[in-house]
Structures are given as structure tokens and as C-alpha cells.
């Protein structure tokens, strides 16, 4: 499990060590780790170290100090180093070390920003050490002009020191201009803002350098399930299992306008281990489901007549589908775990419960928040995904999963997960229906298995968020497997799930 923290949490964890006079030691560990990460990355790219040029953009605080010390280590490996000081001062010891190591220093002004941008753009390595966890807002003045003058497609390797300058370490909000990094080397532990969009868009690959604060870290503000966690959480049938004990999912999805959503949701559920899938919906849609997935048991009955362990509601349903929407409300009222997608989102009561998992994309989340009186539109959700998903979970008291390049999950108790295991090829019609089916199948199988979560270090009350994150990860990994570097259609995601599951659980 990757644990991520707010900037404030990290700074609090540093305090006992700073109080013990270890500030300089922490900075040495951080900057040495940063320099080593640059060396490894250059080698991995087949690039020569000796004679390569490094430009460090150094702010006036400790983040700039890390960058200058790191550049001094790189100078000792034979790299040519230049510093652009973006503030009215620089970390004194780090600047002295940088100069001792032979580095050239430029002081940035409004007048020379363009010229220095051209110089920086030609460097083999650009270290962004302008702002770290002490930042208030984004880059200002000449530093903003310098970064605006740099293309986001620099030929050299761009490495962010701790966090890309201008990205909020707590939320992932990005205050333009931000220099997008290929690699972010972050100190002590991952910052939440590196794992939530748009921060994650700018961070590139994230590498954590331990600096000795680990034992002082509190409960993480956000987590990411990794393969070992997924393997532990995925269920395996026992010798005496039967289809009912493995978990039955009821699916209320699709409409005469969107019958395919029902098929894709069922395919997702079947691929993700449900013992049985029962479909409820209009006869024409049920016929299509029967033809496409003969394993599914279809009926036109009511929610109350069908014994299941969890419900999936809403994929491919519209505001006019009154009978289906009534079934969706009945499923929520049953108190069973429910995944509520797409057309169900506007039709459910405002206040729900943790075992109800809502799966909006950014537009649907904006509409949901708007209905609940919070002032969001789609672009506001995209600018602060973590804040938006947090607020939706608070207002609805449900578990909320926001789909996107990084999928975020918030529990109403303020536990957060971020999964980014997919590929942009997943942005294909019907992909969300398959995700709903996968999460539904997982809810049916492990929703009542409290011990499984406790053993994996997850508070059982927070298991709904973990199940949603597990489903998002399976879906992302299946998409990545299906892509093979090229496009695929949504059904192929479902086809890829069993092998991905097998590798994780094996
Ligand atoms: N603590 C430790 O022991 C360790 C810390 N470590 C490192 O320290 C980093 C945190 O360092 P930090 O606290 O000095 O803050 P930092 O992010 O460099 O920036 C604040 C400075 O910038 C200024 N400033 C603020 N906002 C601004 C803006 N929008 N635009 C322009 N300027 C702005 C502000 O000045 P002010 O505006 O207040 O005059 C202040 O001087 C952390 O990310 C990690 O890299 C590691 O070495 C491990 C050990
Ligand atoms: N750029 C991307 N990178 C990775 N995953 C993505 C990207 N865009 C979308 N996805 C994933 O694809 C799925 C799309 O779901 P959704 O928007 O509901 O699609 P649809 O309504 O067409 O089924 C989500 O799981 C989302 O996380
Ligand atoms: K930085």
C-alpha cells in the first residue's frame, strides 16, 4: 500500500527531528536521494552523466536548498551545473556548496526571464526546486514568467524536487504555470497532491526518498492499493463454495435506448467472479442480455423478489426509465451494498449510506454536487478532484468514486484511495459500465467479509471504499492488459479481467 500525506502532515512529522537539530541531516538525505534518482534515470535512458548539463531552478526556501545540494552532488559526478535563483535569497549553505562544486549562478529578474528560459530549455536535466511544501499558491512574478517561457515538451529530463512547483501538496490543485515533470522525487513519503489530478498529471513518475521521518507519520490522508494488497483482497472460492455462497449480484441497468450498457455491466460482473448475475430490466434488454451472456439469469420482476448479496444500478438508464429507476431506489432501500452509476445518480435520495458506492465521472459529480447545493461545475471538479470527491462523500454519506486518469475514492468517514493503474485507451464508450459490473461483483463477493479487510490493515467500516478502489484497479489493469499498445472496445476489458485477477491472486 502506498500511503500519502498532506504537506502539513509531513511538516509535522519532521518537527521532532528538526527539534533534535537534525534539519541539515534531513536535507542531506533528501538532496542525496534526489541526485541519485537523477543518475538512475539518466542511466535508464542510456544517457551519459559526464559532461551532461543540469539547470536547477532554486527558490528561496528549503526546496531550493534541496535542489542546490542535489546539483552539487551531480557536479561531483562530472555534470555541468547552472542555478537560476528565483527568489530574493537562496538557502545559504546549499548555495555555498553549489558554488564550491563549480556551479554557475544566475539571479532571475523580469528582464532576463526570457533569456534564462532559453538556457534552461537546452539543459539535459532541469531540476524544479522553486516551491515545495511551504508554498502559498502558485509561482509569481519572474518565476512564473520563466516557467511560462518553458515548453511542456522540453527535450531534457525534468525532475521535480518534492513536488512540481505550483502543485498543492494537500489537494493536487495546480496553480498555473506548472512545469510538468517526467519524475517527481518526493521526500519522507508521497504527498496526497501527487496522486490526485491535476497534480498527478504534472508529477510524472513518483519516487519516494526515505529521510527518517517515517515513524512520526500519522494515519495517511490518502492510500493506493498495490499488487500485494490486491492479491490479499481478491477472494478465492473454497472447496465447499457454491454459486450462491460466492455472491450473487443483481443488475438493474440498460434501457431500450442503451441496451448495451446492461450487457457490458453483466460482462464486467461475470468476469470479476460473481457466483451468479441476475438481470432485471425491460424485456427487450433482457433478451439482448440472454443472447450476449447466457450465464445471466434474467427476469422482469421486482427487487424484493430477487435474493442477491449486492445490487448494481443505473448504467445505461435515463430520466424517463421510471420502472428501472424505481428498482434502483428499491435496491438502495434494501440496505444491501449497491453500486450506483450514471442514470441512477440523479434519481437517488440525497442522503445515502457508506455501503452505497456512487461512480460518477467529473461531469456527473459536478451535477450531483450542484444538486446538493455545492458550487461546482465540471471544470471545478477537474481542478480539485480530491476536494470534490471529499465533499460529495460528506454530503451524500455514501462512498464516492470519481472516474478519470487517477480514480479517486472517498468514504463518508474521510478515508481516500487513488488508483492509477489504467491507460488512456480506457476512455472508450462502455468502459464505465464494465467498471460498474466489476465493482458490483466484488461487493457481492466480499462485502460482508469483514475479516478479509481487517487482515489487510483496512478498517472494516471503510471496506466499501477499499472494494471500490480494488475494482478500479482491476479495471485499470485489465484495460492496460487489453490495450497491448493500441485501442480496444469496452468488452475486451471484461475479457482481460480473469487473467489479471489470476496473476494478482496467484
Ligand atoms: N523541513 C525540513 O527539515 C525539510 C524540508 N525539506 C524540503 O523543504 C521544503 C519545504 O521548505 P520550506 O518550508 O522552506 O518551503 P518552500 O516550499 O521551499 O517554499 C517556501 C519559500 O518560498 C516562498 N514562497 C512561498 N510561496 C511562494 C510563492 N507562491 N511564490 C514565490 N515564493 C513563495 C516563501 O517565502 P515568503 O513568500 O514567505 O517570503 C518561502 O521562503 C520541502 O518541500 C522539501 O523540499 C527537505 O529538505 C527535508 C527536510
Ligand atoms: N485518460 C484516462 N486514463 C485512464 N483511465 C481513464 C481515462 N479516461 C477514462 N478512464 C477510465 O475509463 C472509464 C470511463 O468511464 P465512463 O466515463 O463512465 O465511460 P462510459 O460512460 O463511456 O462507460 C473510467 O473507469 C475511467 O477511470
Ligand atoms: K519543487
Amino acid at each position: 500500500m502506498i500511503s500519502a500525506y498532506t504537506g502539513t502532515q509531513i511538516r509535522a512529522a519532521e518537527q521532532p527531528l528538526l527539534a533534535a537539530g537534525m534539519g541539515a541531516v534531513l536535507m542531506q538525505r533528501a538532496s542525496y536521494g534526489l541526485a541519485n534518482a537523477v543518475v538512475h534515470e539518466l542511466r535508464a535512458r542510456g544517457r551519459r552523466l559526464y559532461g551532461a548539463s543540469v539547470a536547477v531552478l532554486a527558490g528561496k526556501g528549503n526546496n531550493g536548498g534541496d535542489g542546490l545540494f542535489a546539483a552539487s552532488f551531480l557536479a561531483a559526478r562530472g555534470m555541468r551545473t547552472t542555478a537560476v535563483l528565483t527568489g530574493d535569497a537562496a538557502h545559504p549553505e546549499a548555495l555555498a556548496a553549489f558554488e564550491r562544486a563549480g556551479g554557475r549562478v544566475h539571479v532571475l529578474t523580469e528582464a532576463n526571464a526570457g533569456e534564462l528560459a532559453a538556457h534552461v530549455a537546452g539543459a539535459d536535466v532541469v531540476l524544479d526546486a522553486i516551491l515545495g511544501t511551504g508554498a502559498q499558491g502558485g509561482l509569481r512574478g519572474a518565476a512564473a514568467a520563466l516557467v511560462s517561457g518553458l515548453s511542456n515538451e522540453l527535450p531534457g529530463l525534468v525532475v521535480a524536487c518534492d513536488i512540481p512547483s505550483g502543485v498543492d501538496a494537500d489537494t493536487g490543485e495546480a496553480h498555473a504555470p506548472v512545469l510538468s515533470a517526467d519524475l517527481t522525487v518526493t521526500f519522507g513519503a508521497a504527498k496526497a497532491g501527487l496522486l490526485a489530478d491535476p497534480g498527478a498529471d504534472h508529477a510524472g513518475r513518483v519516487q519516494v526518498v526515505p529521510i527518517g521521518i517515517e515513524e512520526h507519520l500519522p494515519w495517511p490522508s490518502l492510500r493506493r492499493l498495490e499488487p500485494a494488497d490486491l492479491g490479499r483482497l481478491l477472494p478465492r472460492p473454497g472447496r465447499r463454495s457454491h454459486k450462491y455462497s460466492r455472491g450473487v449480484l443483481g443488475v438493474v441497468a440498460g434501457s431500450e435506448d442503451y441496451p448495451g450498457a446492461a450487457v457490458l455491466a453483466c460482462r464486467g460482473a461475470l468476469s470479476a467472479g460473481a457466483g451468479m448475475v441476475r438481470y432485471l430490466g425491460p424485456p427487450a434488454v433482457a433478451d439482448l442480455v440472454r443472447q450476449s451472456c447466457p450465464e445471466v439469469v434474467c427476469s422482469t420482476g421486482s427487487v424484493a423478489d430477487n435474493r442477491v448479496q449486492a445490487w448494481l444500478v443505473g448504467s445505461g438508464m435515463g430520466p424517463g426509465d421510471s420502472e428501472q429507476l424505481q428498482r434502483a431506489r428499491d435496491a438502495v432501500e434494501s440496505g444491501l451494498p449497491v453500486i450506483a452509476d450514471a442514470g441512477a445518480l440523479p434519481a437517488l435520495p440525497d442522503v445515502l449510506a457508506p455501503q452505497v458506492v456512487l461512480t460518477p465521472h467529473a461531469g456527473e459529480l459536478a451535477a450531483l454536487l450542484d444538486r446538493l447545493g455545492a458550487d461546482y461545475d465540471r471544470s471545478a471538479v477537474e481542478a480539485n478532484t480530491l476536494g470534490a470527491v471529499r465533499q460529495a462523500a460528506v454530503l451524500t454519506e455514501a462512498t464516492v468514486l470519481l472516474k478519470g486518469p487517477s480514480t479517486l475514492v472517498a468514504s463518508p468517514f474521510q478515508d481516500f484511495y487513488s488508483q492509477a493503474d489504467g491507460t488512456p485507451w480506457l476512455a472508450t464508450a462502455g468502459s464505465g459500465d464494465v467498471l460498474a459490473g466489476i465493482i458490483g461483483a466484488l461487493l457481492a463477493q466480499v462485502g460482508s467479509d469483514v475479516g478479509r479487510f481487517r487482515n489487510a490493515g483496512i478498517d472494516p467500516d471503510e471496506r466499501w471504499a477499499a472494494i471500490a478502489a480494488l475494482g478500479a484497479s482491476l479495471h485499470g489493469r485489465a484495460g492496460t492488459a487489453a490495450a497491448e499498445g493500441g485501442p480496444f472496445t469496452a468488452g475486451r476489458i471484461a475479457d482481460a479481467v480473469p487473467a489479471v485477477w489470476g496473476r494478482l491472486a496467484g
Side-chain angles (χ1 to χ4, degrees):
M1 192 118 60
I2 296 175
S3 294
Y5 302 84
T6 63
T8 313
Q9 287 177 315
I10 298 282
R11 291 161 80 86
E14 285 166 356
Q15 276 317 307
L17 295 148
L18 296 182
M22 289 183 64
V25 175
L26 296 189
M27 189 172 273
Q28 288 304 303
R29 289 176 184 160
S31 50
Y32 190 65
L34 172 58
N36 266 338
V38 170
V39 168
H40 278 117
E41 189 66 27
L42 285 176
R43 286 201 176 131
R45 293 171 177 228
R47 307 285 292 272
R48 262 163 51 99
L49 290 184
Y50 194 85
S53 56
V54 182
V56 51
L57 314 180
K60 68 196 261 196
N62 290 328
N63 194 252
D66 290 336
L68 289 167
F69 272 126
S72 324
F73 289 124
L74 293 173
R77 310 290 296 260
M79 297 178 77
R80 293 180 289 121
T81 55
T82 305
V84 176
L85 305 185
T86 62
D88 50 17
H91 190 282
E93 292 83 9
L95 182 59
F98 178 80
E99 288 182 316
R100 269 199 311 277
R104 285 189 58 187
V105 176
H106 300 275
V107 177
L108 178 69
T109 63
E110 299 275 357
N112 67 10
E115 186 192 326
L116 287 177
H119 173 76
V120 169
D124 296 311
V125 179
V126 180
L127 284 184
D128 165 14
I130 308 176
L131 293 175
T133 55
Q136 304 284 324
L139 296 169
R140 298 185 292 254
L146 174 77
V147 170
S148 297
L150 292 172
S151 134
N152 257 341
E153 302 285 322
L154 288 181
L157 171 70
V158 179
V159 181
C161 171
D162 209 20
I163 188 153
S165 302
V167 169
D168 186 306
D170 298 1
T171 64
E173 286 168 279
H175 303 282
V178 176
L179 181 60
S180 290
D182 301 300
L183 169 67
T184 294
V185 181
T186 196
F187 308 127
K191 315 297 177 289
L194 296 172
L195 305 189
D197 287 319
D201 286 332
H202 294 291
R205 185 166 71 76
V206 175
Q207 182 175 333
V208 176
V209 168
I211 58 170
I213 62 170
E214 294 69 25
E215 65 176 294
H216 303 290
L217 287 167
W219 186 253
S221 98
L222 184 150
R223 289 180 291 174
R224 175 169 289 174
L225 301 176
E226 292 194 284
D229 309 302
L230 304 171
R232 216 170 293 136
L233 292 176
L234 290 171
R236 289 162 193 73
R239 192 170 132 71
R240 304 299 297 264
S241 293
H242 51 78
K243 59 181 182 281
Y244 299 118
S245 68
R246 285 187 57 199
V248 181
L249 177 69
V251 174
V252 176
S255 57
E256 295 194 355
D257 284 344
Y258 303 107
V263 174
L264 289 166
C266 289
R267 284 181 67 182
L270 290 167
S271 73
M276 182 192 269
V277 176
R278 293 184 187 278
Y279 175 76
L280 302 190
V285 184
D287 279 348
L288 183 68
V289 169
R290 265 190 216 99
Q291 282 160 26
S292 312
C293 315
E295 304 87 344
V296 176
V297 179
C298 296
S299 87
T300 52
S302 69
V303 160
D305 292 341
N306 284 274
R307 189 148 170 237
V308 300
Q309 277 65 54
W311 287 100
L312 179 169
V313 301
S315 310
M317 284 161 41
D321 298 315
S322 49
E323 204 179 344
Q324 285 290 71
L325 292 175
Q326 188 53 49
R327 289 189 178 110
R329 285 187 285 269
D330 291 345
V332 166
E333 257 179 43
S334 74
L336 288 170
V338 177
I339 145 119
D341 188 35
L345 297 172
L348 296 181
D350 288 353
V351 178
L352 297 157
Q355 78 276 7
V356 179
V357 179
L358 309 179
T359 57
H361 55 56
E364 290 164 341
L365 183 58
L368 178 71
L369 285 165
D370 192 50
R371 194 183 93 215
L372 298 173
D375 189 16
Y376 273 93
D377 59 16
R378 186 184 181 119
S379 60
V381 168
E382 286 171 345
N384 184 4
T385 56
L386 198 50
V389 78
R390 169 189 288 126
Q391 193 158 359
V394 168
L395 291 172
T396 58
E397 298 178 22
T399 299
V400 183
L401 176 150
L402 170 61
K403 294 181 269 200
S406 308
T407 292
L408 291 182
V409 185
S411 83
F413 314 109
Q414 302 294 284
D415 226 21
F416 296 91
Y417 290 89
S418 160
Q419 297 298 142
D421 310 297
T423 156
W425 292 115
L426 278 164
T428 180
S431 175
D433 307 328
V434 176
L435 173 68
I438 293 171
I439 295 175
L442 294 170
L443 287 171
Q445 291 170 86
V446 298
S448 58
D449 191 353
V450 169
R452 175 178 302 274
F453 294 91
R454 195 176 285 123
N455 293 341
I458 291 163
D459 179 343
D461 289 343
E462 305 277 9
R463 66 190 184 280
W464 313 110
I467 293 170
L470 175 63
S473 183
L474 262 187
H475 177 262
R477 287 168 195 277
T480 303
E484 292 172 348
F488 53 81
T489 51
R492 302 276 300 141
I493 307 167
D495 294 341
V497 168
V500 167
W501 180 308
R503 279 197 294 277
L504 291 166

